[in-house]
Amino acid sequence: MRSYMKTTAIALALTAAAGAAKADGHGVEVLHWWTSGGEAAALNVLKGDLEGQGIGWTDMPVAGGGGEQAMTVLRARVTAGNAPTAVQGLGFDIIDWANEGALANLNSVAIAEGWDDVIPAALQQFAKVDGAWVSAPVNVHSTNWVWANKAVLDANGIAVPETWEDFAAALEALAAAGVTPIAHGGQPWQDATVFDAVAMSALGPDGYQAAFVDLDPEALGSDAMKEAFDRMAVIRANVDENFSGRDWNLATAMVINGEAGFQMMGDWAKGEFLNADKVPGEDFLCFRFPGTQDQVTFNADQFMMFDQGGEVSAEQAALATAILSPSFQSAFNVVKGSVPARTDVSNADFDACGKQGMADLAAAAESGNLYGSMAHGHANEASVKNAMYDVITAHFNGEFDSETAVDELITAVEIAQ
Ligand code: BGC
């Protein structure tokens, strides 16, 4: 009874404060990088939710997949003493901002709503610092997916590849038929996203952990790492000549339109297929990168709430509550291509790829096959990640052969630490 009254009192206080916020024109200012068609459609689910509660939304979009540009803008805003209310963040970046003392403590909301019981440990490690919840997890994405145009594969007699060798053969068949085998955008974060899956296939889960999480020089310098770079060279040979600098969603559009067979990309790509009214299993296929069928390399979008003067504000609390509500977790992630950050959300509204994503995530967590994505800031901190990006991109663009890339990787990681 007492705790019910307390919860009710907090709820009433929040509602009153939120109403006041509406009345005096304040709301939430949200910095994010969800600017593609599919991403914007998902964001509208969140905007609509808050607007329905009478909370205003000031949009601060910073284009650039993976969020590097958004993080640069954020740094400038914080330095100027003008942090946005809520900011999309990933992995180690969240921990860094918390350690700088920049984030509000969300425990009043998180404890009342029992986040500890429904958010998996793999996410909590990037959402809680010293016992304080500092961000609200929106979803779980994963990077080791391949997206394929079904008609293109059927026309060329290509079945879903099970192994790297099958995949290489499929690329050859498409090239011979005059179809661009792989749609890719040559931007460092996209090269690194592809590398997540390729490295997992070549190194295996233990090698991935040793190289990207433990930063073990032996794993970084292994023959398996050289094999990963060799596979990247095969992928480089199968992209079209205009790949350089292309945005990821334009690469997805090439697969949607049948100009290319495959794209290796995180499951935000599914948002683009859905936004173009394409149906999984009919128009497009989703499958784990060959050789990584048992693994999930994940990243989770979260909203960090920047400290606005000691306490979490009523609007920030309302935003956090909205994000964690089971109905929002389903509605948003169905559109976004990701899967819920809560373990207790039904898969009923998800399509076949979403259902597979949810099942894969649960199985990988259970079997110890869930790994943070290096490319999306969940394996190591930004300085190391950026050092890895440089080497991966330089190799992809032919500056280094695979052997040199391995040596450069060891050195770059050593310097970055
Ligand atoms: C984010 C996704 C986003 C993608 C492309 C990733 O880092 O986690 O939410 O859709 O970048 O912008």
Side-chain angles (χ1 to χ4, degrees), residues 18-33:
K22 185 190 175 194
D24 67 11
H26 293 305
V28 282
E29 187 195 7
V30 183
L31 192 157
H32 63 88
W33 63 92

Side-chain angles (χ1 to χ4, degrees), residues 50-399:
L50 282 205
E51 277 163 11
Q53 297 182 51
I55 297 175
W57 176 288
T58 305
D59 207 33
M60 178 75 194
V62 182
E68 243 178 303
Q69 288 88 330
M71 290 303 103
T72 306
V73 170
L74 173 62
R75 174 62 64 190
R77 290 278 307 262
V78 175
T79 306
N82 180 26
T85 323
V87 180
Q88 182 186 357
L90 296 175
F92 281 87
D93 289 342
I94 300 171
I95 306 297
D96 284 350
W97 283 111
N99 287 336
E100 282 190 31
L103 304 186
N105 183 336
L106 302 179
N107 278 2
S108 56
V109 184
I111 292 169
E113 293 174 4
W115 294 7
D116 282 290
D117 302 330
V118 292
I119 309 287
L123 262 59
Q124 288 196 26
Q125 63 170 316
F126 296 113
K128 275 176 94 170
V129 174
D130 298 333
W133 283 90
V134 292
S135 60
V138 181
N139 61 12
V140 184
H141 271 302
S142 59
T143 54
N144 57 324
W145 286 106
V146 184
W147 307 90
N149 181 301
K150 187 169 183 304
V152 169
L153 263 52
D154 289 350
N156 290 283
I158 296 170
V160 168
E162 294 290 325
T163 62
W164 164 254
E165 289 71 25
D166 291 349
F167 188 56
L171 300 181
E172 239 176 70
L174 290 176
V179 178
T180 298
I182 296 181
H184 181 65
Q187 296 173 346
W189 76 271
Q190 292 188 62
D191 302 340
T193 300
V194 171
F195 195 71
D196 261 356
V198 169
M200 181 60 90
S201 78
L203 280 90
D206 292 344
Y208 184 96
Q209 165 79 25
F212 300 115
V213 181
D214 304 337
L215 308 180
D216 168 8
E218 243 176 68
L220 289 166
S222 61
D223 289 348
M225 188 64 84
K226 180 174 170 294
E227 172 66 19
F229 280 109
D230 285 344
R231 291 181 182 185
M232 289 299 282
V234 172
I235 287 167
R236 167 66 184 86
N238 283 284
V239 304
D240 71 317
E241 59 182 14
N242 297 320
F243 80 100
S244 187
R246 174 187 289 136
D247 286 334
W248 68 271
N249 53 314
L250 301 182
T252 310
M254 291 170 67
V255 178
I256 292 175
N257 299 333
E259 290 162 46
F262 301 108
Q263 183 186 24
M264 299 172 59
M265 190 41 63
D267 37 16
W268 46 89
K270 195 186 77 180
E272 299 305 302
F273 284 95
L274 300 183
N275 200 44
D277 290 329
K278 301 297 177 192
V279 178
E282 287 176 24
D283 304 309
F284 70 96
L285 303 174
C286 57
F287 56 93
R288 294 285 171 188
F289 185 68
T292 73
Q293 286 90 340
D294 292 337
Q295 283 80 42
V296 170
T297 48
F298 83 97
N299 65 298
D301 291 306
Q302 304 200 44
F303 277 101
M304 308 181 269
M305 304 295 172
F306 275 72
D307 193 353
Q308 310 282 318
E311 289 291 300
V312 57
S313 76
E315 299 93 330
Q316 288 175 319
L319 177 59
T321 297
I323 287 172
L324 267 299
S325 93
S327 58
F328 170 79
Q329 288 275 324
S330 178
F332 177 89
N333 289 308
V334 158
V335 179
K336 183 69 170 69
S338 37
V339 303
R342 296 177 65 114
T343 51
D344 60 347
V345 176
S346 159
N347 71 0
D349 289 345
F350 287 79
D351 60 30
C353 298
K355 285 191 169 71
Q356 184 191 335
M358 288 175 78
D360 286 354
L361 177 65
E366 177 75 27
S367 63
N369 273 298
L370 181 58
Y371 292 89
S373 154
M374 173 277 294
H376 293 264
H378 283 68
N380 48 57
E381 57 194 37
S383 56
V384 173
K385 180 190 85 171
N386 291 330
M388 289 182 168
Y389 275 22
D390 288 348
V391 177
I392 293 162
T393 290
H395 171 269
F396 200 75
N397 291 323
E399 261 178 65

